[in-house]
């Protein structure tokens, strides 16, 4: 496995139906030729991803999107025009060009134009789109630097394009359309406020399911391997005497009774919080700790997406203890 900036090497691998680690503005993806089932299958294998969980298709222009969907609802078009390239994924009716493996049998395909210069350059040189889920093992923390992809997937991936730290840091917002309704299935890097400014009121439906429409809807997801709790940090500190405690806080620094403390955004910026979230979750998880204590952040802007990830990251620990 190698990390580098060689786009030609990336193209060679993709043409050979191999998987590639690739940067986007949200999180790193594990990419393969979306038109080749053999290549797509490798994504599921390397990630240990269940086949019922469909993949997002990445491309670099609205014209290319039109070439593999049947139609684009008006509001979808408005959103694409306003926010692509960017952290927005649209669920659209697929054409026959997209196989059932990519969509797990759904008639809808998830599409996005990511906003990363290296990846846009790569996509513009390909005559096929790239299927790419986040480049983590199923259920684990999404990677926002190339080294985190390497740490999760090891030799499962031959090459990782190095685009540095992802600018947004949480996954794209996923939006679907039912008749006249617009539904957010996963909150993420594009805020509800920004969306509603363009198309008016939308519905948020990120309810948890055991067999969900999107894996971001699994009750447990993004989970660190150290027990991870979210709540009132000051109160929780008393519940774990004699334990090695790590704290992942929003603004306040904790130094008493804790072994380590990460502050997501000392100045209270939700953008900065999103950008640091997965990276700090990974770093704190690498430290020898008994427990990690975290707290929710203000529930607006990117805070919704951050809180969604905190909740799912803590779900399995809150449930069992
Ligand atoms: O920001 C992102 O969206 C990143 C970067 C790499 O683009 N990708 C990402 O992919 O988060 P992944 O696979 O980790 O999450 C994609 C979500 C999954 O929860 C999947 O279930 C959902 O999108 N999804 C994909 N295709 C779908 C479809 N046809 N219908 C409903 N949900 C779909
Ligand atoms: Mg993911």
């Amino acid at each position: 496995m190698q990390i580098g900036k060689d786009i030609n090497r990336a193209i060679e691998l993709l043409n050979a139906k191999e998987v590639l680690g690739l940067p986007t503005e949200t999180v790193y993806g594990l990419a393969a030729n979306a038109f080749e089932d053999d290549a797509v299958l490798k994504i599921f294998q390397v990630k240990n991803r269940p086949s019922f969980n469909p993949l997002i298709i990445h491309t670099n222009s609205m014209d290319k999107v039109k070439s593999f969907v049947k139609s684009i609802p008006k509001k979808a078009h408005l959103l694409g025009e306003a926010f692509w390239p960017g952290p927005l994924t649209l669920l659209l009716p697929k054409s026959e060009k997209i196989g059932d493996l990519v969509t797990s049998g759904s008639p809808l395909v998830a599409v996005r134009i990511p906003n990363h210069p290296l990846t846009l350059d790569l996509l513009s040189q390909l005559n096929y789109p790239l299927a790419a889920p986040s480049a983590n093992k199923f259920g684990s923390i999404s990677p926002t630097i190339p080294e985190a992809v390497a740490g999760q997937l090891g030799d499962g991936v031959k090459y990782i394009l190095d685009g540095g730290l992802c600018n947004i840091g949480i996954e794209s917002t996923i939006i679907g359309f039912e008749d006249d309704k617009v539904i957010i299935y996963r909150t993420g890097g594009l805020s509800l406020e920004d969306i509603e400014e363009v198309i008016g009121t939308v519905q948020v439906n990120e309810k948890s399911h055991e067999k969900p429409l999107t894996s971001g809807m699994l009750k447990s997801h993004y989970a660190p391997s150290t027990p991870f709790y979210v709540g009132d940090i000051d109160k929780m500190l008393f519940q774990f005497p004699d334990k090695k405690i790590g704290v992942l806080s929003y603004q306040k620094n904790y130094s008493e009774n804790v072994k380590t403390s990460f502050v997501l955004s000392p100045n209270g910026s939700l953008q900065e919080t999103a950008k640091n979230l997965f990276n700090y979750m990974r770093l704190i998880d690498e430290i020898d700790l008994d427990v990690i204590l975290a707290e929710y952040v203000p529930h607006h802007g990117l805070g919704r997406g951050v809180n969604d990830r905190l909740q799912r990251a803590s779900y399995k620990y809150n449930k069992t203890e």
Side-chain angles (χ1 to χ4, degrees), residues 48 66 72 76 91 95 128 176 184-185 196 211 226 237 270:
N48 285 340
K66 285 178 185 156
I72 305 183
L91 299 176
S95 78
Y128 47 84
I184 297 187
Y185 289 103
E196 292 194 329
K211 196 176 170 196
T226 312
L237 278 172
L270 291 168

Side-chain angles (χ1 to χ4, degrees), residues 22 24-30 47 49 52-58 87 89 91-92 102-104 106-112 114 132-136 142 170-174 185-186 212-217 221-222 309:
L22 122 159
T24 81
E25 80 283 30
T26 59
V27 301
Y28 273 73
L30 179 67
K47 259 190 79 102
R49 185 179 177 112
F52 64 73
N53 202 343
L55 307 176
I56 297 177
I57 302 292
H58 298 67
T89 293
L91 299 176
L92 302 171
V102 167
T103 68
S104 303
S106 167
L108 299 177
V109 61
V111 184
R112 106 175 176 93
S134 52
N136 50 282
S142 305
I170 56 174
E171 294 86 347
S172 61
T173 300
I174 301 181
Y185 289 103
R186 178 177 74 183
L213 186 60
T214 81
S215 66
M217 290 167 86
H221 202 56
Y222 319 108
R309 274 111 188 122

